[in-house]
Amino acid sequence: MARVLIIGSGIAGSSFALLAAKDGHDVTVLERDPAPPPATADAAWDNWERKGVNQFRLLHFFIARFGQIAKAELPEVVVALEADGALRINPFATMPDSVSGGWQPEDTRFESITGRRPMVEAAFARVVDANPKITVRRGAAVRGLLVDKPAPTNGVPCITGAVTEDGEEFRADLVVDAGGRRSALPAWLAAIGARPPLEQREDCGFVYYGRYFRSEDGSLPFAFGAPLQHYESFSTIALAADNGTWGIGISTSARDSAARALANDDTWERVVRACPLIAHWIDGISMQSVTVMAKIEDRIRTYVIDGNPVAAGVVTLGDAWACTNPSVGRGAAIALTHAVALRDLLRQQRDDGDLHDPVALARRWGNVTETTVGPIYNDTLRTDRHRLAQIDAEIAGRPYVTDDPSWISNQTLAYGAGRDPELLRAMVDLIALLAPPAEVFARHAVIAGMKAYAGHAPDPSPGPSRAEFLGLLA
């Protein structure tokens, strides 16, 4: 077994801490934020300070793949989530038969276990704190890495632990960077003379304006249509959450300067009221003013270059590896998928007798990451770029045209999903990350449906045109 040091106790770090502890590893978690998790969902929302998580009280939804993995791998977390009032929700359970074709036994796969981010993270943290095989050090901000000197003959520095800002050293066989979007690993590696990772970084191009609401009786608004609705030059997001709470968001292009007026509560409400599918969602009790999230990075870092790791003894997990536009709710599902993949790799290394070979582990982790979660990142980025280009075209008053077959296929599938129950299930499989595109588009029913609806694309949701949107913003 190995000594594992995890930097960061968010969803990714907590998930891997629990998985590694189950396999008998000696686990220590360093968390920069000092406050322990509150005892209830409302206390977590009202009082928990998580300055290390910049989107902590913004809209969140935990898609079906997250719940599917949690139920299989971390049932103790599911128990804690349900005790705190997490919402179990399945779109096919309330969907009219005329749309769904009727309930099917396989539709259980679409169930999500979701809630507000503070509530979910607090439940994870309490389960981690209660695990006797895991040591959690809160208020322990990492300053840098510990390294073997001299470096191995192959020139790859071997990380042997981390040092905190107050000078305390923590030794480990493996350091797992789960520090999220703000991961400082490249700077720490530069400080010890390691090669920099390859990094691709750009603004994701979207801005989010969101608010949470709650009901007096614990009920939730009825959902007309999908949570994510696209209009001519903006989108809306309506997300049910825990304990009779829900979030509403509007996303726009960062280049749309007129949309910045959405930061005003009254303006925001006028726009939501003009969208008939979600207008009733703001009839609840407001829990916050408009919260804005901007300057969101699409960023991916590659730590194995031409087959050689920039450092051994350290790996990245979840958002520390790659992060994207959060509107499709994939972050936590990717993190949990990534954590299970790392657990499985450590098992394989152990079975192969290479558990304590950090260079081999780093190489293999690069390959595992590329094949396991790399395609999800690339697909998300590609879809976002098309949506931004579509918004730009709509603002300019021209149709959006592209020859990218993946975008065309997704648009055809979205059109057919409102007309064919099998295409609807295929689309939800893709959205919820329950099946990869290659598998979904190879289904006989999908092939037939795509032929029947070829050349079609979904119409914008009922709501303001571009001109009407600008009028509401004025």
Side-chain angles (χ1 to χ4, degrees):
M1 297 299 104
R3 296 172 300 165
V4 177
L5 180 65
I6 301 172
I7 300 173
S9 68
I11 301 296
S14 294
S15 296
F16 184 67
L18 292 167
L19 292 168
K22 288 174 186 283
D23 276 10
H25 299 294
D26 180 12
V27 181
T28 299
V29 180
L30 303 182
E31 169 53 53
R32 61 174 292 172
D33 291 334
T40 67
D42 286 341
W45 175 266
D46 293 335
N47 304 318
W48 199 18
E49 291 295 328
R50 291 285 278 123
K51 294 181 180 179
V53 185
N54 61 343
Q55 71 275 30
F56 196 54
R57 286 180 174 82
L58 292 177
L59 270 61
H60 273 79
F61 190 83
F62 295 82
I63 60 176
R65 180 165 180 165
F66 173 87
Q68 189 179 74
I69 299 174
K71 285 182 281 188
E73 301 285 355
L74 299 172
E76 69 275 32
V77 172
V78 174
V79 170
L81 288 169
E82 293 188 322
D84 278 5
L87 176 69
R88 283 184 180 257
I89 186 170
N90 188 321
F92 286 87
T94 57
M95 198 177 294
D97 288 353
S98 59
V99 177
S100 70
W103 176 265
Q104 299 178 9
E106 298 81 6
D107 291 340
T108 55
R109 72 183 185 273
F110 297 118
E111 181 183 73
S112 294
I113 303 173
T114 191
R116 292 165 291 172
R117 171 69 177 265
M119 171 265 172
V120 172
E121 193 160 311
F124 265 89
R126 289 198 303 273
V127 173
V128 169
D129 286 349
N131 191 310
K133 297 180 181 179
I134 303 172
T135 300
V136 181
R137 295 290 299 272
R138 301 189 184 279
V142 172
R143 183 179 71 199
L145 302 171
L146 302 175
V147 61
D148 274 350
K149 296 182 180 292
T153 56
N154 59 8
V156 178
C158 185
I159 308 306
T160 58
V163 58
T164 62
E165 288 181 349
D166 62 6
E168 189 172 3
E169 295 184 351
F170 292 84
R171 301 279 173 175
D173 300 304
L174 177 65
V175 175
V176 179
D177 175 22
R181 291 175 177 266
R182 297 177 177 175
S183 165
L185 183 57
W188 296 337
L189 291 172
I192 63 171
R195 289 188 301 159
L198 294 178
E199 182 175 276
Q200 300 174 32
R201 177 199 300 255
E202 60 182 308
D203 191 304
C204 83
F206 294 97
V207 181
Y208 296 90
Y209 305 86
R211 295 174 69 181
Y212 269 96
F213 294 81
R214 74 182 319 147
S215 64
E216 292 184 346
D217 59 3
S219 62
L220 293 168
F222 187 80
F224 295 101
L228 179 61
Q229 297 282 344
H230 294 308
Y231 302 83
E232 283 193 0
S233 60
F234 68 98
S235 301
T236 61
I237 311 160
L239 302 174
D242 61 285
N243 296 291
T245 66
W246 61 89
I248 299 289
I250 302 174
S251 70
T252 70
S253 168
R255 293 187 288 269
D256 190 357
S257 58
R260 294 170 192 165
L262 289 166
N264 175 273
D265 285 1
D266 291 339
T267 304
W268 184 92
E269 288 189 13
R270 280 201 305 272
V271 172
V272 175
R273 288 288 186 196
C275 301
L277 296 184
I278 63 165
H280 62 294
W281 282 62
I282 60 173
D283 290 336
I285 302 167
S286 175
M287 300 175 66
Q288 60 183 171
S289 291
V290 174
T291 302
V292 182
M293 187 176 184
K295 300 185 184 302
I296 311 161
E297 288 182 344
D298 283 325
R299 189 257 300 145
I300 186 169
R301 292 169 178 161
T302 302
Y303 289 88
V304 179
I305 304 170
D306 296 329
N308 293 312
V310 301
V314 61
V315 297
T316 55
L317 192 65
D319 281 352
W321 156 69
C323 51
T324 64
N325 163 28
S327 71
V328 289
R330 293 180 166 186
I334 292 174
L336 193 46
T337 300
H338 212 194
V340 170
L342 181 55
R343 187 277 312 273
D344 292 346
L345 178 59
L346 291 184
R347 288 178 176 177
Q348 187 63 54
Q349 289 276 115
R350 177 197 62 202
D351 294 344
D352 293 345
D354 294 332
L355 183 58
H356 297 286
D357 183 342
V359 174
L361 177 64
R363 286 197 183 104
R364 294 175 75 172
W365 182 237
N367 291 332
V368 168
T369 294
E370 183 176 340
T371 58
T372 303
V373 289
I376 303 174
Y377 174 84
N378 293 330
D379 177 69
T380 305
L381 197 65
R382 181 171 54 250
T383 301
D384 283 352
R385 292 295 163 262
H386 280 295
R387 175 56 182 156
L388 280 173
Q390 187 182 50
I391 290 174
D392 286 343
E394 289 164 345
I395 291 174
R398 53 180 170 78
Y400 177 56
V401 179
T402 178
D403 59 0
D404 182 348
S406 66
W407 175 256
I408 295 170
S409 294
N410 286 337
Q411 292 291 284
T412 302
L413 182 63
Y415 177 85
R419 295 158 175 82
D420 182 330
E422 291 308 309
L423 295 187
L424 175 62
R425 286 174 172 80
M427 188 178 73
V428 179
D429 273 332
L430 291 177
I431 292 171
L433 297 181
L434 296 174
E439 176 187 321
V440 168
F441 286 107
R443 296 174 185 171
H444 294 302
V446 174
I447 293 172
M450 296 293 284
K451 288 180 179 178
Y453 298 115
H456 290 278
D459 295 322
S461 300
S465 65
R466 174 62 183 176
E468 291 167 337
F469 179 54
L470 291 175
L472 292 166
L473 297 174

